[in-house]
């Protein structure tokens, strides 16, 4: 029998140095599919090899689980009794689930009315204490950082280095699945932890002799929430991609370093471009990701249309979270309602048969 995937800490144990395999807190995260996007790739000005790393296939539906397994395992091993995080939704969903696995209390602080319903449902169903603040993610993060520094409660935002250490695993998997690193790796940038961690992952794999050439890291922000691109804090970030509605990213420097050291860049796309990419993935490739995730394809399309590829490049997009987390965006941007009397003839007439 083929052994089942055991979660990133067991699969990549030599990269994590966690001494007690029996006390790993896991939902068997990672091992997500690397999906070819041939239809989209064929329609680009020049053909490239395009793949999506579909992080929506993680247990709580986003890449956050990769960092949460390590952060919660280490927090529990240190004797923590409770976890806290600020979140635009996915971190809180993941913290809530892993908190249950570890038997810890979980407090999540979120910007009121600004996280998608699916993510809120996850935090609630896992019995986290959900605190909505009348403010932004950035303010929520400042509060939980202070609380965690003065109280015995483990902070599991990506300012916790264990989170980033775990999130390196996406790069390990991409290299294992592709046989090498891609030439370009596009991913959405919000708090900027993931681009920092992915870049660190490629470098760790290279140091371990499992990889020679490194990819260019292409970080994509939403135009209305693009502090790194603009070079200053955005006081009132605005984008329909609520997961990356962040005006003052914690790993700002890490993102700049990743872009510079890899020969990549951080740039922005409009909400319209994000939506176009979101619908393309769903309607042309059968891949349903959340809006923030589609920023990576939007960025890739923008580069392709500007003549930025010469042909044949290998490109990977991280699709960070599952589309089901945010069904509202579908209903807001698309309609499909056909009602007929409950008779076969009526249904056939819609099908175009009589
Ligand atoms: N995509 C999704 C779906 C996210 O949830 C996030 C971040 C990002 C991209 C950006 O990643 O912050 O590492 O640059 N979500 C955080 C949260 C902020 O609270 O769930 P990043």
């Amino acid at each position: 029998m083929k052994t089942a995937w055991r979660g990133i800490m067991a699969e990549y144990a030599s990269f994590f140095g966690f001494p007690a395999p029996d006390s790993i807190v896991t939902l068997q995260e990672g091992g997500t599919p690397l999906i070819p996007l041939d239809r989209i790739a064929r329609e680009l000005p020049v053909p490239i090899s395009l793949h999506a790393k579909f992080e929506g296939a993680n247990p709580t539906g986003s890449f956050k689980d990769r960092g949460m397994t390590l952060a919660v395992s280490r927090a529990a091993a240190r004797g923590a009794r409770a976890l806290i995080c600020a979140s635009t939704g996915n971190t809180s969903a993941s913290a809530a689930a892993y908190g249950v696995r570890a038997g810890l209390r979980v407090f999540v602080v979120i910007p009121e009315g600004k996280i998608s319903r699916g993510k809120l449902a996850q935090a609630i169903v896992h019995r986290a204490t959900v605190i909505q603040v009348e403010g932004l993610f950035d303010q929520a993060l400042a509060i939980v950082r202070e609380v965690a520094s003065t109280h015995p409660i483990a902070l599991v935002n990506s300012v916790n280095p264990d989170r980033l250490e775990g999130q390196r695993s996406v790069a390990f998997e991409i290299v294992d699945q592709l046989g090498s690193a891609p030439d370009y790796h596009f991913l959405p940038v919000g708090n900027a932890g993931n681009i920092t961690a992915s870049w660190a992952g490629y470098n760790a794999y290279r140091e371990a002799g499992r990889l020679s050439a490194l990819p260019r890291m292409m970080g994509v922000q939403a135009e209305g929430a693009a502090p790194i691109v603009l070079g200053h804090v955005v006081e009132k970030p605005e984008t329909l991609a609520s997961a990356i509605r962040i005006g003052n990213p914690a790993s700002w420097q890490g993102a700049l370093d990743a872009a510079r050291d890899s020969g990549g860049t951080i740039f922005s796309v409009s909400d319209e471009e994000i939506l176009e990419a979101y619908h393309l993935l769903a309607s042309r490739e059968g891949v349903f990701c959340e809006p923030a995730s589609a920023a990576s394809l939007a960025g890739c399309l923008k580069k392709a249309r500007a003549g930025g590829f010469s042909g044949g490049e290998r490109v990977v997009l991280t699709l960070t979270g599952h589309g089901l987390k945010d069904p509202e965006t579908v209903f807001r941007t698309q309609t499909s309602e056909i009602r007929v009397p409950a008779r076969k003839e009526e249904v056939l007439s819609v099908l175009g048969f009589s």
Side-chain angles (χ1 to χ4, degrees), residues 15-233:
F15 289 89
F16 295 120
F18 188 78
D22 292 342
S23 54
I24 289 175
V25 180
T26 182
L27 287 161
Q28 300 175 11
E29 57 295 308
T32 56
L34 187 71
I35 305 172
L37 302 178
D38 293 344
R39 293 178 117 192
I40 292 176
R42 268 202 303 273
E43 287 165 18
L44 297 178
V46 294
I48 60 173
S49 149
L50 186 61
H51 287 82
K53 183 66 172 160
F54 187 56
E55 292 290 280
N58 275 297
T60 77
S62 87
F63 70 97
K64 305 287 180 180
D65 297 345
R66 297 179 180 278
M68 210 54 77
T69 181
L70 202 69
V72 177
S73 296
R74 291 220 175 114
R78 281 192 292 262
R81 307 285 292 278
L83 310 174
I84 194 166
C85 67
S87 186
T88 56
N90 280 322
T91 298
S92 53
S94 186
Y98 283 78
V100 168
R101 300 291 291 181
L104 302 176
R105 292 191 68 188
V106 179
F107 302 98
V108 308
V109 183
I110 57 172
E112 183 189 24
K114 293 294 184 188
I115 82 168
S116 69
R117 298 282 288 170
K119 297 172 190 176
L120 185 57
Q122 289 179 285
I124 293 170
V125 82
H126 294 306
R127 309 284 165 93
T129 303
V130 177
I131 306 160
Q132 310 216 22
V133 293
E134 298 161 3
L136 299 165
F137 167 82
D138 303 282
Q139 295 166 294
L141 182 59
I143 293 168
V144 297
R145 286 179 92 150
E146 242 182 277
V147 169
S149 71
T150 48
H151 292 77
I153 174 165
L155 181 63
V156 293
N157 278 106
S158 60
V159 293
N160 176 339
D162 298 336
R163 278 275 316 280
L164 297 191
E165 199 180 328
Q167 284 175 213
R168 293 177 311 161
S169 60
V170 75
F172 307 161
E173 289 180 23
I174 290 169
V175 173
D176 290 348
Q177 289 167 310
L178 213 55
S180 67
D183 298 308
Y184 292 92
H185 184 156
F186 288 79
L187 72 173
V189 172
N191 216 20
N194 207 29
I195 187 170
T196 306
S198 300
W199 177 237
Y202 286 116
N203 280 286
Y205 234 38
R206 186 166 76 161
E207 277 152 34
R210 300 201 194 183
L211 169 66
S212 45
L214 294 162
R216 293 174 194 267
M217 301 303 293
M218 308 292 282
V220 188
Q221 298 204 289
E223 251 170 38
I228 301 178
V229 179
L230 297 169
H232 59 76
V233 170

Side-chain angles (χ1 to χ4, degrees), residues 226-243:
I228 301 178
V229 179
L230 297 169
H232 59 76
V233 170
V234 174
E235 299 291 344
K236 292 200 172 73
E238 213 31 270
T239 169
L240 66 80
S242 59

Side-chain angles (χ1 to χ4, degrees), residues 244-256:
I244 53 172
R245 188 170 172 270
I246 293 175
N248 188 11
S251 298
W252 192 315
Q253 192 56 48
L256 286 176

Side-chain angles (χ1 to χ4, degrees), residues 278-291:
Y278 169 82
H279 285 293
L280 259 183
L281 282 162
S283 64
R284 306 283 292 153
E285 298 283 3
V287 175
F288 187 25
C289 66
E290 64 173 286

